[in-house]
Amino acid sequence: MILELKDICKDYIQGKMIVPVLKDVMFSMNEGEYVAIMGPSGSGKTTLMNIVGCLDKLTSGSFFLDGQDMSKCTDNQMSDIRLQKIGFVFQNFQLMPKESALENVALPLTYAGIPKKERKERAMEALSRVGLADRVNFKPTQLSGGQKQRVAIARAIVNRPKILLADEPTGALDSKSGEQVMELFQSLNDEGVSILMITHAPDIAEYAQRVVEIRDGILKEREAQTDR
Ligand code: ADP
Ligand code: MG
């Protein structure tokens, strides 16, 4: 099991008010699975992703990542695990605007303490993997949206993570670029990377093996579907 969430609750404190956002979420994912999360805006998708990505702490419940109990981890241990096991892809790419594609992709390796020469080699390799070997020295402003997202995917996989977390990865892309991103996800998944992806778009969710729905902080497996 790559992910195991049991009775997860997450409240936000707003002044004196407690705002429950995730309500007793039960969710698990096998290693190598590809799961899509769908739900309306404000339903708690990003909040859930931030917890799974060790970017935020839960209020109650338990959360195991790759068999490890995350509620027992210190902040330092959490950031190590994040670095080693998780790759992130965001709707708006979140690239460093002044750095080249190569430097953007190499950044997580800097945090991981990898020596410079190896950083460059591995960043090159990851950029080739996403079909951008000829764009390594381009800055984000010199790239199309689809290319920016592919740089972001190269950055997400450069540490060879076990799981890829993607929050609306095609949300800012035209349909052709979105399709390319989905093809890339598919081939990463074929290589054994687990993928958890948030999306609004039913045609994007169809790429996943399994779809779960979240509404007002409550998560449900989607009913088994007949063929489209
Ligand atoms: P989604 O990604 O599904 O659109 P979010 O997880 O971003 O939804 O937000 C879910 C709910 O939690 C929203 O009602 C939002 O207002 C609230 N929320 C998100 N982040 C915070 C925060 N830092 N403080 C207070 N409320 C928040
Ligand atoms: Mg969101």
Side-chain angles (χ1 to χ4, degrees):
M1 211 81 94
I2 184 75
L3 287 181
E4 219 175 342
L5 278 65
K6 291 179 192 160
D7 294 316
I8 297 285
C9 293
K10 173 71 184 177
D11 303 335
Y12 285 115
I13 313 290
Q14 275 278 287
K16 283 184 179 168
M17 257 191 9
I18 296 175
V19 184
V21 174
L22 297 178
K23 301 161 187 169
D24 294 314
V25 169
M26 302 286 273
F27 174 66
S28 51
M29 217 174 123
N30 286 320
E31 213 168 327
E33 249 195 310
Y34 185 173
V35 179
I37 300 180
M38 296 195 78
S41 183
S43 55
K45 302 183 298 294
T46 297
T47 302
L48 181 64
M49 200 62 118
N50 287 344
I51 287 174
V52 171
C54 308
L55 296 166
D56 200 359
K57 295 214 156 168
L58 39 85
T59 304
S60 67
S62 62
F63 162 39
F64 291 76
L65 181 95
D66 199 21
Q68 202 168 355
D69 187 348
M70 300 306 294
S71 59
K72 297 208 165 71
C73 287
T74 63
D75 287 353
N76 276 337
Q77 286 168 329
M78 293 235 297
S79 43
D80 282 349
I81 290 164
R82 198 158 62 226
L83 205 54
Q84 287 161 13
K85 298 196 174 173
I86 307 173
F88 292 94
V89 178
F90 305 94
Q91 177 171 358
N92 58 358
F93 327 121
Q94 301 207 8
L95 300 172
M96 311 278 274
K98 296 205 169 109
E99 310 290 335
S100 68
L102 190 77
E103 286 157 339
N104 268 286
V105 174
L107 198 64
L109 300 173
T110 315
Y111 297 139
I114 310 280
K116 192 169 179 184
K117 185 163 172 286
E118 192 186 337
R119 288 206 297 267
K120 197 174 167 186
E121 285 165 5
R122 281 176 57 182
M124 288 286 288
E125 193 184 310
L127 280 165
S128 304
R129 179 71 184 77
V130 300
L132 290 175
D134 56 350
R135 292 288 187 276
V136 289
N137 294 317
F138 283 53
K139 302 217 162 124
T141 51
Q142 301 168 320
L143 297 168
S144 70
Q147 289 170 335
K148 279 188 262 206
Q149 194 60 302
R150 283 189 282 148
V151 172
I153 294 167
R155 179 185 56 192
I157 60 173
V158 78
N159 270 329
R160 298 166 190 141
K162 290 201 139 186
I163 182 165
L164 205 59
L165 303 179
D167 194 345
E168 301 268 5
T170 63
L173 304 179
D174 59 82
S175 59
K176 182 87 188 86
S177 314
E179 229 169 81
Q180 282 179 348
V181 163
M182 287 302 99
E183 279 164 19
L184 207 44
F185 275 22
Q186 190 56 63
S187 71
L188 291 167
N189 182 243
D190 290 342
E191 286 167 18
V193 180
S194 308
I195 300 178
L196 182 60
M197 169 176 75
I198 291 173
T199 183
H200 265 103
D203 56 327
I204 294 296
E206 291 303 325
Y207 285 91
Q209 295 156 357
R210 174 157 72 100
V211 180
V212 296
E213 283 173 357
I214 185 166
R215 256 170 215 281
D216 199 16
I218 297 167
L219 191 90
K220 284 196 178 117
E221 293 284 332
R222 187 164 77 176
E223 299 285 314
Q225 280 202 327
T226 50
D227 287 345
R228 284 196 296 169

